[in-house]
């Protein structure tokens, strides 16, 4: 049923399994994410290990990015890692992965470059007030990279989607104990228009499932043959494209 309510499959101390649907009137899947992230903030405030590991293909919702910045600012022991796809690397099209990168480094001009020009000054002013130049070294952003660059019209080099080896996951692991996963990209379109879902898994009975997703994240994050931090990927891309233009001239 399109207008099915929240489905709780299990709610005991041993297992927590929930399904959330954007087709339900009044349901905002961003709230499901923020509620999960709050568990990490609670752990950090109790002095416990606190982590948020995010693997997400499309991340263009600024409110969610700003919440991650706030969590990092207020909780220095909370480690936040975001793994994105190469297609999200550019400082344009409201890509929030580079926004997080540059904001965490105190480069608010670079962060706000992802927005249309008419919004950039207000964005910079707001970040300066909220973050006050703080360096948030507890936020890391990495990208799955692959050579899918081709010559386009006029010899212009661009990323060809049909050749891409996408990092298409959409999941979050919080404190190594809670999993949120589903169809939902972190985008205004997904929130406002699409029929999407998110599922939450936690508790002793779900420990193996959560551990499997945590292991997948660690395997990708630790594999420098497919994943690099943002600065390294930009240098790799710059060198690759330069070589392609040089080859075209020869």
């Amino acid at each position: 049923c399109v207008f099915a309510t929240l489905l709780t499959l299990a709610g005991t101390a041993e297992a927590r399994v929930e399904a959330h649907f954007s087709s339900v009137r009044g349901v905002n899947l961003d709230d499901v994410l923020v509620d999960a992230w709050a568990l990490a903030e609670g752990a950090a405030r109790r002095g416990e290990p606190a982590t948020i590991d995010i693997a997400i293909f499309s991340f263009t919702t600024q409110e969610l990015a700003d919440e991650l910045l706030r969590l990092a600012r207020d909780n220095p022991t909370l480690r936040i890692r975001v793994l994105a796809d190469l297609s999200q690397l550019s400082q344009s099209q409201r890509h929030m992965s580079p926004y997080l990168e540059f904001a965490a480094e105190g480069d608010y001009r670079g962060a706000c470059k992802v927005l249309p020009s008419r919004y950039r000054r207000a964005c910079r002013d707001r970040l300066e007030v909220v973050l006050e130049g703080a360096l948030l070294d507890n936020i890391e952003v990495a990208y799955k990279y692959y050579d899918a660059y081709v010559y386009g019209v006029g010899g212009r080099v661009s990323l060809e989607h049909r050749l891409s080896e996408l990092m298409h996951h959409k999941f979050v692991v919080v404190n190594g104990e809670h999993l949120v996963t589903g169809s939902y990209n972190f985008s205004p379109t997904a929130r406002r228009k699409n029929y999407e879902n998110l599922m939450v898994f936690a508790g002793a009975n779900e420990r193996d499932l959560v551990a499997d997703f945590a292991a997948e994240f660690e395997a990708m994050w630790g594999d420098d043959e497919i994943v690099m931090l943002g600065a390294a990927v930009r240098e790799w891309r710059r060198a690759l494209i330069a070589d392609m233009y040089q080859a075209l001239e020869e």
Side-chain angles (χ1 to χ4, degrees), residues 42-71:
R45 290 179 175 177
R46 293 190 299 272
E48 300 170 359
T51 58
I52 300 174
D53 291 332
I54 300 171
I56 187 66
F57 174 65
S58 177
F59 187 174
T60 56
T61 300
Q62 189 172 1
E63 294 84 354
L64 289 175
D66 286 339
E67 176 63 7
L68 291 172
L69 291 171
R70 183 198 68 77
L71 288 167

Side-chain angles (χ1 to χ4, degrees), residues 78-250:
L78 168 56
R79 185 186 187 192
I80 299 171
R81 296 184 292 178
V82 178
L83 178 55
D85 184 70
L86 176 64
S87 61
Q88 309 298 299
L89 180 68
S90 65
Q91 290 166 268
S92 62
Q93 301 179 67
R94 299 183 182 272
H95 291 156
M96 288 296 115
S97 297
Y99 173 84
L100 286 171
E101 275 186 82
F102 287 93
E105 295 170 356
D107 181 356
Y108 304 145
R109 182 177 296 275
C112 296
K113 192 176 177 181
V114 307
L115 301 177
S117 57
R118 65 185 180 276
Y119 299 123
R120 292 175 186 171
R121 178 178 293 276
C123 171
R124 294 195 301 269
D125 291 345
R126 182 177 48 77
L127 288 176
E128 287 170 0
V129 170
V130 172
L131 299 181
E132 298 180 329
L135 300 181
L136 305 175
D137 58 5
N138 53 338
I139 290 184
E140 296 176 279
V141 181
Y143 299 84
K144 183 181 183 297
Y145 67 97
Y146 40 83
D147 183 1
Y149 289 94
V150 298
Y151 298 110
V153 177
R156 183 174 181 271
V157 174
S158 61
L159 191 66
E160 176 56 59
H161 183 76
R162 65 184 175 82
L163 299 178
S164 298
E165 301 169 2
L166 301 178
M167 202 301 299
H168 209 246
H169 284 310
K170 305 165 187 70
F171 69 83
V172 181
V173 178
V174 178
N175 299 337
E177 299 176 344
H178 294 77
L179 168 67
V180 182
T181 187
S183 67
Y184 191 57
N185 277 311
F186 301 175
S187 73
T189 297
R191 184 180 72 240
R192 298 170 185 164
K193 297 182 179 180
N194 296 353
Y195 284 2
E196 305 277 2
N197 70 82
L198 280 176
M199 295 171 285
V200 179
F201 300 88
N205 287 352
E206 307 306 323
R207 189 171 297 148
D208 289 346
L209 176 64
V210 177
D212 285 344
F213 275 83
E216 170 70 359
F217 187 92
E218 293 294 345
M220 291 187 296
W221 190 270
D223 188 346
D224 59 10
E225 292 187 358
I226 61 168
V227 169
M228 289 191 292
L229 295 176
V233 175
R234 287 186 181 85
E235 178 57 28
W236 167 83
R237 182 181 65 173
R238 184 202 65 75
L240 176 68
I241 292 176
D243 287 347
M244 291 180 69
Y245 280 130
Q246 182 176 352
L248 194 62
E249 294 173 357
E250 294 176 351

